[in-house]
Amino acid sequence: MAEAPVLEDTERTTGRVALRKNIAAAMALSGAVRSTLGPKGLDKLLLDDEGRTLVTNDGVTVLETARVEHPVARMLIDASSAQDRAARDGTTSAVVIAAELLRNAWHLVLQGVHPSTIVRGYRIAEIEAMTHLESIAFEGNEDDLVTAVRSSLAGKASRGVQTRLADLAMEAARCVERTVDGTHEVDPTRVSKIIAVGRPATDSEIVEGLVLQKRRAHPEMIRLVENDTIALLDGALERRNMRGDVTFQATSPDVLEALRRREISRLLEDVEAVAAAGVKVLAVSGAIDDEAHRRLLDLEIQAFRRVPSNDLDLLALATGATVLHHVDALRAEACGTVLESRSHLIGDLHHWTVRGEGTAATLIARGSGDEIAEETSRCFDDALGVAAHLRKDRRLLVGGGASHVHLARHLRRVAEATPGREQLAIEAFADALEVIPRALAENAGLDPIDALLDVTAAQAEADDGGARIGLHLDKREPTDLGEAGVLEPLSVIKPTVSGATEAACAVLRIDDVLWARLEAQIPDDIQAQLDAMGGQDD
Ligand code: ADP
Ligand code: MG
């Protein structure tokens, strides 16, 4: 049959061949990040076009940086990014579980189970999984929450830095906690960060309020203002330049001088307007001309120039002021209140610390060099994301594969009670979840099969159901990981399982792939694994 002309430049694969290739892509992708999973996971060195390097063991960073063109691989990367947005953690787990769900689905397809039956079975398993995870979760106390934040940094910084950042993240989350219209809100965007090089990362700290790397517009300006009025201007205090294509013919030097005086007096009028509104602290995004800051100095107004617009927004949140675009709009209602506005030195750099009624906090990320301080700041971001979630939902699960093994055991019982071929899919789903403890063991240099068998047996023998028993990667034996301090938010684990299911089911539903250009490369080792799995192109 002739292909429609529109498909002339495309390569087309359908049915089983398409599925097989798509699953190969998913596995190749998961293979790229699986070795980073867990505290013993290895780092990846990423190199970009311009030769810049980044060492990371964060799954989503690896995937988002890699230039992957395969559409199915992109679906998994999107699942990982969605996980990052939703929970700030669990990005590697989401991809690894999704790929494993697909690999197990392929085995079923080879046995003659239709992909849509598998999708139905996976959906049943997912719903069961959500309920079961909730049933084994527990409310954490304050210490547990800090422990869970620290677990989320596993493999990321040194032990000392992890502990420090976990404490700081919880402190910052507390600082920006508030109740809006009856709902409890923790907004991580209210936490800003500055980098200060020169001291170890463990000396990083949280300051309540907003700290900006800024000096006063004039060194003689007042240093400390307390309980007074602030105005924010997204504009400048400078002489207005003539704009447009105007030709100006001055007939005498006096005309020019008069013009200059007029400009200055207009500028000073603006300054007087600021003072008349009772403003004692002023931040502007543009410049402040000499004449203006001299007058500001006389009026005892503390002023800061060239404050970036996004910092003005943060100042607005912290002080309740509105960002104005012109002095003419300045009214008392547009002003905010500072409890404290202090200009001071951190190290040998000038900083401006502002505390207002609004919630805000600033991390001072330290490190002996730029790279370390930047890395401290990146790790803090992740920790803060997790901390913010935990202040809203304190439910925790035990990590290190303990919850995954428990869930897999539960699902196998569910499978037994499910009629039809969906039963096979639910079993395949249970097997797929065990990829987490297997990969954790593998990355720690343990035998994954023995490790999994040991944990499963230890859980089955435990009187309480064994949901806390997982593999201790140092002791190398099944242990109560809750006591060992490996805790994870329920709000991280749940979306890894549901996101992975969604991505896997979306791939299973594809049975026709039209390639506009060349097919993406499948690495040789993955191709070899696939060939070993059987089911050659028919
Ligand atoms: P992800 O991107 O999925 O968060 P990570 O590399 O952060 O990947 O690894 C998270 C996994 O490591 C989780 O399953 C977590 O329970 C596990 N984990 C963290 N700390 C430990 C530990 N000390 N012992 C065993 N497992 C741990
Ligand atoms: Mg993690």
Side-chain angles (χ1 to χ4, degrees):
M1 194 179 71
E3 296 266 275
V6 70
L7 298 181
E8 252 168 24
D9 286 337
T10 57
E11 194 179 303
R12 181 171 184 182
T13 47
T14 51
R16 222 196 228 205
V17 180
L19 183 60
R20 180 173 175 278
K21 289 187 171 171
N22 289 341
I23 290 175
M27 283 167 55
L29 190 78
S30 141
V33 290
R34 187 176 159 141
S35 61
T36 70
L37 189 79
K40 308 272 179 181
L42 298 175
D43 291 346
K44 300 274 170 196
L45 174 67
L46 307 181
L47 265 174
D48 72 6
D49 283 354
E50 287 152 35
R52 279 177 305 214
T53 56
L54 176 68
V55 175
T56 179
N57 87 358
D58 187 35
V60 75
T61 311
V62 174
L63 295 175
E64 284 178 349
T65 315
R67 217 175 291 138
V68 176
E69 284 178 14
H70 195 289
V72 165
R74 284 244 56 99
M75 286 163 75
L76 262 62
I77 295 177
D78 290 345
S80 180
S81 308
Q83 172 74 24
D84 193 36
R85 282 193 301 278
R88 286 312 296 227
D89 196 20
T91 54
T92 314
S93 306
V95 169
V96 171
I97 296 174
E100 200 66 11
L101 284 170
L102 285 169
R103 181 216 284 267
N104 294 352
W106 179 244
H107 285 299
L108 292 180
V109 170
L110 289 183
Q111 290 167 34
V113 184
H114 195 274
S116 55
T117 311
I118 303 175
V119 168
R120 275 201 305 279
Y122 278 5
R123 288 292 184 201
I124 298 173
E126 182 201 355
I127 294 166
E128 273 295 327
M130 295 302 115
T131 327
H132 186 72
L133 288 174
E134 282 182 10
S135 75
I136 57 174
F138 60 96
E139 276 299 285
N141 61 27
E142 288 296 312
D143 286 347
D144 294 335
L145 300 192
V146 178
T147 306
V149 177
R150 196 174 53 228
S151 289
S152 78
L153 292 173
K156 277 187 187 147
S158 73
R159 193 93 192 140
V161 175
Q162 282 172 18
T163 309
R164 181 77 186 143
L165 288 182
D167 287 340
L168 294 180
M170 281 310 277
E171 191 183 332
R174 253 195 307 271
C175 284
V176 297
E177 201 165 19
R178 63 206 171 112
T179 308
V180 185
D181 302 332
T183 51
H184 183 200
E185 221 186 65
V186 186
D187 179 3
T189 61
R190 286 169 173 258
V191 181
S192 62
K193 283 166 294 165
I194 54 173
I195 304 275
V197 175
R199 276 162 55 187
T202 42
D203 282 0
S204 300
E205 57 189 305
I206 290 291
V207 179
E208 206 182 328
L210 196 60
V211 185
L212 303 174
Q213 243 171 45
K214 276 280 141 207
R215 64 164 75 205
R216 286 157 293 161
H218 192 286
E220 285 168 28
M221 273 176 181
I222 183 168
R223 278 179 200 280
L224 174 66
V225 177
E226 285 175 303
N227 300 315
D228 226 316
T229 307
I230 182 170
L232 308 173
L233 181 62
D234 192 1
L237 281 179
E238 57 188 351
R239 282 187 259 153
R240 292 173 203 175
N241 291 328
M242 257 184 284
R243 291 183 200 285
D245 200 8
V246 181
T247 315
F248 185 76
Q249 280 189 336
T251 45
S252 84
D254 295 347
V255 175
L256 274 183
E257 180 55 27
L259 200 68
R260 202 179 74 87
R261 274 204 304 274
R262 174 85 196 101
E263 281 171 3
I264 292 176
S265 77
R266 274 218 195 146
L267 175 62
L268 292 179
E269 275 167 29
D270 283 353
V271 177
E272 296 306 328
V274 170
V279 172
K280 281 292 170 197
V281 183
L282 176 70
V284 301
S285 63
I288 301 182
D289 274 355
D290 280 356
E291 292 82 3
H293 65 59
R294 239 175 275 136
R295 185 68 192 130
L296 287 165
L297 180 63
D298 292 342
L299 291 165
E300 297 194 334
I301 295 175
Q302 189 189 42
F304 298 84
R305 63 187 158 199
R306 301 207 188 284
V307 178
S309 299
N310 53 337
D311 284 343
L312 285 181
D313 293 339
L314 288 172
L315 284 164
L317 287 176
T319 63
T322 310
V323 180
L324 302 172
H325 294 278
H326 200 277
V327 177
D328 296 345
L330 193 60
R331 312 259 178 288
E333 312 84 76
C335 294
T337 307
V338 289
L339 301 176
E340 180 189 358
S341 168
R342 179 194 298 274
S343 176
H344 57 120
L345 289 175
I346 297 181
D348 46 12
L349 290 175
H350 289 270
H351 284 82
W352 174 28
T353 299
V354 183
R355 273 194 313 113
E357 301 276 355
T359 56
T362 305
L363 169 78
I364 304 187
R366 300 189 189 276
S368 47
D370 272 328
E371 296 222 345
I372 297 182
E374 300 269 358
E375 177 66 15
T376 309
S377 155
R378 266 198 303 275
C379 288
F380 173 82
D381 275 343
D382 294 343
L384 176 63
V386 175
H389 277 286
L390 280 175
R391 294 217 61 88
K392 282 189 278 186
D393 181 352
R394 308 169 75 99
R395 286 174 298 170
L396 298 173
L397 287 167
V398 177
S403 304
H404 294 90
V405 171
H406 199 266
L407 178 55
R409 291 172 51 225
H410 171 73
L411 288 176
R412 290 199 183 97
R413 287 192 292 273
V414 172
E416 276 175 26
T418 309
R421 291 183 168 202
E422 284 79 0
Q423 177 178 53
L424 298 173
I426 300 172
E427 275 167 8
F429 191 102
D431 294 345
L433 292 171
E434 290 175 343
V435 71
I436 297 295
R438 274 193 278 124
L440 288 170
E442 221 164 74
N443 293 345
L446 300 171
D447 184 283
I449 297 176
D450 291 343
L452 183 58
L453 289 173
D454 289 350
V455 171
T456 310
Q459 284 201 357
E461 277 167 22
D463 301 330
D464 62 351
R468 300 171 68 91
I469 298 178
L471 183 70
H472 196 295
L473 300 178
D474 291 319
K475 285 195 200 155
R476 302 176 158 241
E477 59 185 31
T479 308
D480 183 330
L481 287 184
E483 263 165 38
V486 185
L487 296 176
E488 290 200 86
L490 176 67
S491 61
V492 167
I493 300 210
K494 263 172 63 175
T496 60
V497 176
S498 57
T501 313
E502 197 168 307
C505 289
V507 175
L508 287 172
R509 282 205 204 88
I510 301 171
D511 85 334
D512 199 349
V513 181
L514 301 172
W515 289 97
R517 277 174 290 118
L518 282 178
E519 194 164 331
Q521 293 286 311
I522 297 170
D524 291 345
D525 54 334
I526 300 290
Q527 185 62 52
Q529 275 186 42
L530 273 168
D531 293 344
M533 277 165 60
Q536 298 304 311
D537 296 359
D538 16 347

